[in-house]
Amino acid sequence: MGAATAYIVDAVRTAGGRRGGKLAGWHPADMAAEMLDAIVARSGIDPAAIEDVIMGCVGQGGEQGFQVGRGAVLASRLPESVPAVTIDRQCGSSQQAIQFAAQAVLSGTQDVVIAAGVESMTRVPMGATVALFAQAGLGGPKSPRQEARYPGVQFSQFMGAEMMARKHGLGRAELDAYALASHRRAAAATERGDFEAEIVPLAIETPEGPAIHARDEGIRFDATAESIGSVKLLAEGGVISAANASQICDGASAVLIVSEAALKAHGLTPLARIHALTVTAGDPVIMLEEPLFATDRALRRAGMTIDEIDLFEVNEAFASVPLAWLRHTGADPERLNVNGGAIALGHPLGASGTKLMATLVHALRKRGKRYGLQTMCEGGGIANVTIVERL
């Protein structure tokens, strides 16, 4: 990467909201704007110094339509002079936002960029942008040439999760045990106050009156093996249930990424630096397996072994993903998703990349650890891997 370095100054997120839950009253552009405002306020940087906002969002329609990244800037306290762009790399959208922001800084073309993400899965339901067009008779995303290449294949993450479980010999009991551990880790992290440094409290209206939302709503503090095991399977004869898959979630998140020159010019103190960036793609049918191979490539390119990484965030889209990843990489399970993951905390699609990075850099800091690796499976068989070093 040469002499240039991309630094993470701060990373913030909302506490997750369940579908129809505590964040359902927030328009996504306003919710994302709160993250932009928070990261600027916390760092003390001049808002006019922000050179770009790169916003991940998957459901780019309705309230998340008309370029929600720019919408978030216009809903924030940032000046109109701050540009923005909205990107979709499916579940990895805002992890890709981090990588694009870092690449802008590393290339020397920009010095101060916010990578962010937003998804209100309550207000723009998953799949709505495909379903509404189909209902209007306007067709769908699978083209005739795709059909010729993948005849009769319906690209489905649920089918991919089942295929992964079969391929890697993962039974329901193992997936459910992993899901229970996710809730227990998330509950313990909440009780220890480990999320306090990353969560931006949001004002909400409740039936009892105004309140503050600062605690992840999806965590089941009373989860048991029995309660998780009693949830019905999504497919007959399968192993995936709603309880061992990620939760539908509303949320937003942001990471401030700057150059060395910007650190000095604005008197900023970094939390971490970007050490390595990788994105790969593979089989779009099994779809969710790519983080395994992307991690291999990222470590090779970084000249590192899996044992040199202190903490891992592997998105818990389905329990079969991190479990297959552990088997493939031989990573220490005690370093994986130490504060729980999307099974307990929720997976707000386009916001998850910067959300996980907020959890990762703050966990590295809290635990006095050095290297962190983040990866997630993405629709279409893609995976991003970002390695950071805590400073």
Side-chain angles (χ1 to χ4, degrees):
M1 278 161 55
T5 305
Y7 294 95
I8 292 176
V9 173
D10 205 354
V12 298
R13 67 177 182 92
T14 64
R18 283 188 183 171
R19 175 165 49 185
K22 293 191 173 171
L23 292 177
W26 275 88
H27 189 292
D30 291 349
M31 184 163 59
E34 287 281 317
M35 298 304 101
L36 304 181
D37 287 344
I39 209 153
V40 167
R42 284 166 51 135
S43 65
I45 197 166
D46 174 3
I50 309 297
E51 290 173 89
D52 207 354
V53 172
I54 305 172
M55 183 77 65
C57 183
V58 175
Q60 293 185 33
E63 293 187 359
Q64 291 171 177
F66 200 55
Q67 223 270 73
V68 70
R70 179 62 173 162
V73 168
L74 298 180
S76 77
R77 292 196 288 273
L78 297 178
E80 288 177 354
S81 58
V82 175
V85 64
T86 306
I87 61 165
D88 175 8
R89 207 192 279 276
Q90 295 292 282
C91 300
S93 297
S94 57
Q95 185 169 354
Q96 184 59 52
I98 291 168
Q99 297 195 182
F100 280 153
Q103 287 166 340
V105 167
L106 293 169
S107 71
T109 51
Q110 291 174 325
D111 290 298
V112 183
V113 183
I114 296 176
V118 66
E119 205 81 37
S120 175
M121 298 179 75
T122 298
R123 297 169 77 129
V124 184
M126 186 160 63
T129 51
V130 173
L132 292 173
F133 275 75
Q135 285 161 19
L138 295 172
K142 196 175 184 196
S143 73
R145 289 186 183 184
Q146 287 177 13
E147 182 57 38
R149 190 172 179 180
Y150 302 99
V153 172
Q154 186 188 352
F155 297 120
S156 158
Q157 53 179 333
F158 302 106
M159 279 161 36
E162 292 281 3
M163 288 168 74
M164 258 184 103
R166 276 200 301 278
K167 180 173 174 179
H168 294 272
L170 299 164
R172 179 171 188 181
E174 199 173 345
L175 301 182
D176 284 354
Y178 182 89
L180 178 59
S182 183
H183 283 282
R184 290 195 170 150
R185 285 193 289 259
T190 300
E191 280 154 5
R192 287 192 305 265
D194 284 10
F195 294 135
E196 284 171 13
E198 68 203 56
I199 288 178
V200 175
L202 292 187
I204 57 168
E205 287 298 327
T206 72
E208 294 77 46
I212 296 293
H213 178 56
R215 186 165 166 157
D216 293 290
E217 199 181 0
I219 305 168
R220 298 189 190 278
F221 288 85
D222 58 352
T224 62
E226 293 70 36
S227 66
I228 286 172
S230 68
V231 176
K232 78 175 192 350
L233 294 167
L234 296 176
E236 208 174 318
V239 290
I240 304 293
S241 75
N244 61 37
S246 54
Q247 291 187 39
I248 286 172
C249 182
D250 300 337
S253 51
V255 176
L256 178 59
I257 297 177
V258 307
S259 67
E260 186 119 29
L263 278 185
K264 292 177 177 143
H266 300 282
L268 304 170
T269 306
L271 290 175
R273 71 173 188 88
I274 304 281
H275 184 67
L277 306 170
T278 300
V279 62
T280 70
D283 184 345
V285 183
I286 196 167
M287 194 180 292
L288 311 177
E289 197 179 26
E290 194 57 22
L292 285 56
F293 317 120
T295 298
D296 294 341
R297 184 167 171 188
L299 290 169
R300 264 199 316 276
R301 290 187 62 179
M304 299 179 81
T305 65
I306 196 83
D307 296 329
E308 288 175 84
I309 307 286
D310 298 297
L311 293 178
F312 304 100
E313 284 289 333
V314 178
N315 192 39
E316 295 173 358
F318 300 87
S320 50
V321 177
L323 284 170
W325 181 91
L326 276 174
R327 286 194 177 181
H328 177 83
T329 60
D332 177 358
E334 294 303 311
R335 302 181 189 184
L336 172 66
N337 299 354
V338 292
N339 291 334
I343 289 169
L345 297 164
H347 175 21
L349 305 183
S352 285
T354 33
K355 173 186 188 289
L356 292 193
M357 186 57 73
T359 298
L360 180 58
V361 294
H362 289 289
L364 286 168
R365 191 176 189 197
K366 183 126 191 173
R367 291 163 182 255
K369 300 295 187 187
R370 185 174 179 191
Y371 286 108
L373 179 150
Q374 173 180 324
T375 185
M376 57 177 83
C377 54
E378 299 155 7
I382 303 174
N384 282 71
V385 180
T386 311
I387 301 175
V388 296
E389 180 186 18
R390 181 188 68 90
L391 300 172

